[in-house]
Amino acid sequence: FLPPRRILMGPGPSDINPLVLNALSRPTVGHLDPLFINMMDEVKSLLQYAFQTKNAFTIALSAPGSAGMEACFVNLVEPGDKVIVCRNGVFGDRMKQNVERIGAQAVVVDSPWGRAVETEKVADALAQHPDAKFLAFVHAETSTGALSDAEALCKLAQQFDCLTIVDAVTSLGGVELRVDDWGIDAIYSGSQKCLSCVSGLSPISFSEKAVQVINNRKTPIQSWFLDQSLVMNYWSGDGKRSYHHTAPVNSLYALHEALLQLHKEGLENSWARHKAQHKVLANGLAKLGIEFIVPEEERLPQLNTIKIPEGADDAKVRSYLLNHYNLEIGAGLGDFAGNAWRIGLMGYAARNENVALCLTALEDALSQ
Ligand code: PLP
């Protein structure tokens, strides 16, 4: 298979930095090779930097973001537990499904599609359900392009003695995220969004409180592969590493390189770059008369959800961009299918030349 060189400006995967692609093709070593184990230790500390945490339990799962989500729920939540789940798009709904499959009770707090999670509603739900053990929410809802106030939501959860489970699949590296300062207990992300790495890895991190909850469970974790107490024996630095599964060796080289690049740029600089490129895109879209769906103060810089202009054919425009410009933008998802486009400015894709190309190509496609 010889793929064309596309420019990926959809909801992910994003464009991969050539240095990361290069790292993928380095010689494979054994997944218990001492040199590889050293590299895994570096991946752990680079992930601690990216998440802004000192959590010892900070690793990359050998599976995509959906597995990171499932790992957080199956390790922490037990049958019968009550979990407050914020739903303002597709991924909040998947959290609810995870809770229910465990046999736990999901108390859903709905906020409108295209808007941030409404903190007042969450405060009401926490007050009404003092027995809730967890508050779960999506920091950056990729299906709608809305950014929620993770810091405020975590503060609320702490007031009610609830642990937080946070989806940072699209937020990590793209917007401000501070796991320790905000007191997040369990967080998961994905490699293919603002980290601009190959898809299929899920960085996760658990606070000490979360690890204690896992260690004091009354029921066994129903998933063998996602049982983090077993995975930790492979990732942990003390003593001998024991075989759990065969790690995706070359993909981890790629993650290591992607995290090094993030570290080199600096986290704050990366957040600022995403914001700056978003502003350039937003100005250009305004000139084309294209409107955003999400109110300005709740917009994700790395995922721009715009209304499909009247008279434009959704599928035809997207295929025109792909066929004439090798440019991929995302279709609407869920409630927004057929009404919205999602323009990603994630990681390596958040660059001047990409924004300029996207605006030119979109103008051409719409005039055609
Ligand atoms: N959560 C959010 C917010 C996402 O955007 C995605 C993927 O787009 C996922 C979870 C699932 O990640 P993956 O597709 O890597 O399994």
Side-chain angles (χ1 to χ4, degrees):
F1 177 56
L2 295 170
R5 186 166 292 283
R6 303 280 201 214
I7 293 132
L8 300 178
M9 296 181 73
S14 63
D15 274 350
I16 297 182
N17 185 326
L19 292 170
V20 174
L21 279 179
N22 189 35
L24 262 180
S25 62
R26 289 178 194 153
T28 303
V29 296
H31 72 123
L32 289 168
D33 186 308
L35 292 176
F36 185 68
I37 285 170
N38 287 348
M39 193 213 70
M40 287 170 80
D41 286 341
E42 285 180 19
V43 167
K44 281 203 292 192
S45 34
L46 287 163
L47 280 175
Q48 286 172 328
Y49 169 72
F51 276 129
Q52 292 288 283
T53 184
K54 293 198 173 63
N55 288 341
F57 195 118
T58 303
I59 63 165
L61 283 189
S62 307
S66 306
M69 179 188 284
E70 192 146 347
C72 286
F73 285 99
V74 295
N75 280 272
L76 287 162
V77 181
E78 294 196 65
D81 282 350
K82 196 181 258 192
V83 186
I84 297 185
V85 179
C86 307
R87 180 171 61 181
N88 61 338
V90 164
F91 296 100
D93 190 66
R94 287 196 186 174
M95 285 181 148
K96 170 186 173 271
Q97 293 176 43
N98 269 276
V99 171
E100 289 174 348
R101 278 173 185 247
I102 290 167
Q105 188 191 343
V107 175
V108 177
V109 177
D110 273 312
S111 298
W113 271 63
R115 299 300 306 267
V117 168
E118 293 161 305
T119 43
E120 322 76 54
K121 276 196 190 166
V122 175
D124 288 347
L126 284 162
Q128 273 171 32
H129 299 277
D131 53 336
K133 286 195 181 161
F134 304 95
L135 171 68
F137 65 89
V138 179
H139 187 203
E141 215 351 307
T142 328
S143 59
T144 69
L147 173 68
S148 290
D149 188 343
E151 187 177 9
L153 289 167
C154 289
K155 209 175 269 175
L156 270 177
Q158 284 144 23
Q159 281 164 21
F160 289 90
D161 228 5
C162 261
L163 264 62
T164 41
I165 300 177
V166 180
D167 179 317
V169 171
T170 285
S171 61
L172 184 68
V175 283
E176 185 177 13
L177 171 63
R178 300 181 187 277
V179 168
D180 286 358
D181 288 354
W182 298 351
I184 293 171
D185 293 295
I187 189 160
Y188 59 92
S189 187
S191 45
Q192 77 278 24
K193 309 268 185 180
C194 296
L195 297 181
S196 275
C197 183
V198 284
S199 46
L201 294 170
S202 177
I204 60 166
S205 183
F206 290 163
S207 70
E208 266 176 38
K209 258 199 231 163
V211 172
Q212 267 173 27
V213 168
I214 297 172
N215 290 341
N216 293 320
R217 285 178 63 103
K218 292 185 205 77
T219 55
I221 294 163
Q222 78 255 26
S223 163
W224 183 88
F225 182 67
L226 294 175
D227 180 338
Q228 294 308 291
S229 57
L230 303 177
V231 172
M232 210 46 200
N233 292 334
Y234 176 53
W235 273 86
S236 104
D238 309 326
K240 230 168 74 138
R241 306 281 174 115
S242 55
Y243 164 72
H244 177 264
H245 64 280
T246 308
V249 171
N250 291 52
S251 294
L252 284 170
Y253 297 167
L255 182 64
H256 181 265
E257 186 64 44
L259 291 167
L260 269 182
Q261 293 307 318
L262 179 64
H263 188 263
K264 202 165 140 197
E265 178 178 16
L267 206 46
E268 274 91 355
N269 292 337
S270 175
W271 300 337
R273 175 170 52 85
H274 283 86
K275 207 179 261 181
Q277 292 301 332
H278 158 76
K279 282 200 177 130
V280 180
L281 179 73
N283 289 340
L285 290 171
K287 284 188 193 136
L288 295 178
I290 294 176
E291 292 172 44
F292 274 81
I293 288 183
V294 180
E296 199 170 338
E297 62 286 359
E298 295 172 14
R299 273 178 212 161
L300 280 172
Q302 65 272 49
L303 207 269
N304 299 267
T305 311
I306 54 174
K307 288 185 195 158
I308 297 179
E310 218 159 291
D313 184 309
D314 175 16
K316 269 193 192 156
V317 169
R318 283 185 295 105
S319 347
Y320 188 89
L321 295 177
L322 204 59
N323 296 332
H324 290 78
Y325 291 91
N326 266 317
L327 173 67
E328 178 185 286
I329 64 164
L333 194 62
D335 286 9
F336 287 165
N339 309 317
W341 288 321
R342 291 179 299 154
I343 302 181
L345 288 172
M346 295 181 177
Y348 191 66
R351 287 182 295 146
N352 276 333
E353 53 265 53
N354 278 20
V355 174
L357 172 79
C358 180
L359 290 168
T360 308
L362 206 51
E363 185 173 17
D364 177 25
L366 290 171
S367 70
Q368 294 296 322

